[in-house]
Amino acid sequence: MKKLALAGTALMLASLANGLAEARDDDAIGALADVIEANYYDEARAREIADALRSEAASGAFGETQSPDALASALTDRLHAEDRHFSVRYIGPERAADIIARRAAAEAGEAPERPADPWAGLRRENFGFADIDILPGNIGYIDLRQFAPIQPAESTARAALDFIANTDAVIFDLRQNVGGAPSMVQYLISHFLDAEEPVVINTFVARDLPYPDQLWSLPVHPAGNRPDVPLIVLTSGNTGSAGEAFPYHLKAMERATIIGETTHGAGNPGSTFFTPEGYAVFISTGSARNPITGTNWEGTGVTPDIAVPAGDALETALDRLYDTLLASHDADSAGYQDVEWARELLAAQREPVDVSSRQLRRYAGTYGNRHFDTANGTLVYTREGGSPVELLPVGNHRFAIPGNNSYRFVFTPNEAGNVGHLEMQIAGSGSRNYPRSR
């Protein structure tokens, strides 16, 4: 009997604990619903979403008692159907209370203590500019992982644009871009528009705005303007938020070609709010409205002009730009040769040219102060005093330095297959001949 009594007590305590936990879950969901109802940009939809959450919580739609992190994940999944920007995290009551108190103090006019450099984290990430390069064919390339606020990042953004200022085309790689600030979107798009024809890039609507807030192109750009340079934007399914705004607005203006995958589909900017139960929820407090389409990319994403897997987007972009640039250059110009060589280099990297070991040995030798040897099934080039470099065969007894579009090494065998001299072709500067010394 004593064992039965103990077992009954244990069951009663477990039931009580579960009941308290479920009550806490209901309280947490109710608090989140209140915050959403008070802050979501569309007041009518805010009420609908909040009421639905409360009703679902009461009916047990979120299942049995979960850990706070699991509940946050379940709520995020549920809210994503309403707005792709919704995101719920559990940070704990103490941390949430501290943030709520500091925000209340700031609203009351008590200036919070600011760190010495509030942008230190973004600065360490170079404000999102992960790579700036000039690709073969004189194509500017910017790998941008986020859109930092323009205030701290302007000099970095300007330096990136200045670096590619003399290129014949530009590629923005946003395949890993998670979003960010509209001010950087405005800054970068403005660079590729005509300064003498200002346009509205985007508008925002929100509960506390009596009319749409307009985002205009900049009348004067610190890096100048390039309204005619061919422009391509690369996207993936992970490209989100402001990372989608950039290609969406450029596509609407017919100013850029979008290549890659349809983007994530998060078109409503907002802020993070906190509840005493320890949950943080990102809520859309506004919504973008493109002045040309009258809508945005929420829920649909940005559809590319040329749909390819994200991993193939850069090669596809280069193929397209090489066609464009070859058509724009005179056939006998240095620019035409540069683009032809760039296309040749891309083709050889995509489908390697096979050269037999026997043929490679015939090329090997010393020509002036340049030496060629064979290793690992390829031809290795060493200039006197330099480091060895494995060459890339590009066909017709010609070789290139990988990543370098300035030179071609040409070996011309005689009828017996022997090579007596080396021709080194130099982009835009003709060629030089070096007799074989051994």
Side-chain angles (χ1 to χ4, degrees):
M1 291 293 292
K2 188 176 181 180
K3 287 183 179 179
L4 287 173
L6 288 173
T9 302
L11 285 171
M12 182 177 69
L13 290 173
S15 176
L16 179 61
N18 285 339
L20 290 171
E22 287 171 6
R24 285 197 295 270
D25 285 356
D26 287 350
D27 289 343
I29 295 171
L32 282 171
D34 292 344
V35 172
I36 291 169
E37 185 171 4
N39 295 284
Y40 191 70
Y41 78 93
D42 184 321
E43 192 168 356
R45 283 200 63 219
R47 260 193 316 275
E48 291 174 5
I49 295 168
D51 286 344
L53 270 186
R54 296 183 188 109
S55 175
E56 290 166 20
S59 66
F62 293 98
E64 297 179 359
T65 304
Q66 306 184 58
S67 70
D69 287 331
L71 179 60
S73 178
L75 286 164
T76 296
D77 291 343
R78 164 64 182 85
L79 289 168
H80 263 188
E82 307 289 351
D83 189 305
R84 294 289 180 90
H85 262 119
F86 270 126
S87 175
V88 183
R89 293 177 295 119
Y90 182 72
I91 63 171
E94 289 185 6
R95 187 178 169 197
D98 178 60
I99 296 172
I100 292 170
R102 283 192 280 113
R103 285 192 171 183
E107 289 175 4
E110 300 171 19
E113 188 176 326
R114 290 176 62 83
D117 182 3
W119 309 112
L122 283 173
R123 202 179 304 282
R124 288 178 63 84
E125 297 173 346
N126 203 37
F127 300 106
F129 289 87
D131 188 20
I132 301 97
D133 201 358
I134 297 176
L135 303 181
N138 198 33
I139 295 171
Y141 172 82
I142 295 178
D143 180 357
L144 187 61
R145 305 293 175 87
Q146 63 179 303
F147 286 83
I150 198 61
Q151 177 191 345
E154 194 278 328
S155 61
T156 301
R158 178 163 25 101
L161 295 176
D162 286 344
F163 184 82
I164 62 166
N166 297 310
T167 55
D168 294 325
V170 174
I171 295 173
F172 269 88
D173 191 343
L174 304 187
R175 289 176 292 179
Q176 298 183 63
N177 194 290
V178 296
S183 58
M184 180 62 78
V185 174
Q186 174 191 36
Y187 183 91
L188 293 175
I189 286 182
S190 295
H191 178 64
F192 296 99
L193 302 178
D194 190 338
E196 296 183 2
E197 297 180 8
V199 297
V200 176
I201 296 173
N202 192 15
T203 61
F204 295 96
V205 295
R207 282 167 76 158
D208 56 353
L209 287 176
Y211 52 85
D213 187 21
Q214 296 181 331
L215 195 70
W216 283 81
S217 58
L218 300 178
V220 178
H221 201 288
N225 294 80
R226 303 184 70 186
D228 300 316
V229 66
L231 181 61
I232 284 179
V233 182
L234 311 183
T235 60
S236 77
N238 295 321
T239 305
S241 195
E244 300 173 272
F246 186 76
Y248 186 89
H249 300 317
L250 287 169
K251 181 180 179 180
M253 297 175 187
E254 299 183 352
R255 179 59 190 89
T257 300
I258 316 304
I259 297 178
E261 298 170 347
T262 299
T263 61
H264 178 63
N268 300 324
S271 300
T272 301
F273 297 84
F274 303 86
T275 70
E277 290 76 12
Y279 289 86
V281 54
F282 189 95
I283 299 173
S284 297
T285 56
S287 183
R289 292 288 184 275
N290 180 274
I292 298 171
T293 66
T295 184
N296 64 21
W297 54 96
E298 175 63 35
T300 62
V302 182
T303 304
D305 298 300
I306 302 175
V308 296
D312 298 333
L314 180 56
E315 280 194 7
T316 303
L318 290 172
D319 277 335
R320 183 179 179 89
L321 287 175
Y322 291 154
D323 284 342
T324 300
L325 295 177
L326 284 175
S328 68
H329 290 304
D330 292 334
D332 58 351
S333 69
Y336 191 93
Q337 183 191 56
D338 184 36
V339 176
E340 272 197 321
W341 280 10
R343 167 174 277 176
E344 177 183 66
L345 200 62
L346 181 64
Q349 290 168 337
R350 184 184 291 149
E351 297 181 15
V353 176
D354 184 42
V355 182
S356 69
S357 298
R358 180 183 179 188
Q359 189 63 57
L360 289 174
R361 288 194 296 272
R362 286 175 169 171
Y363 299 144
T366 300
Y367 306 78
N369 63 350
R370 290 168 167 80
H371 181 72
F372 298 84
D373 208 343
T374 60
N376 303 318
T378 188
L379 196 64
V380 179
Y381 162 63
T382 308
R383 184 173 180 174
E384 189 175 292
S387 301
V389 178
E390 289 189 0
L391 298 179
L392 180 70
V394 293
N396 297 322
H397 308 290
R398 301 168 68 247
F399 291 79
I401 300 173
N404 186 329
N405 204 41
S406 299
Y407 305 98
R408 290 291 186 271
F409 298 109
V410 185
F411 303 88
T412 306
N414 59 22
E415 291 183 0
N418 299 316
V419 178
H421 73 279
L422 164 73
E423 179 186 3
M424 189 174 79
Q425 298 176 342
I426 306 169
S429 301
S431 62
R432 298 174 188 170
N433 286 288
Y434 298 89
R436 184 172 190 156
S437 56
R438 70 175 180 86

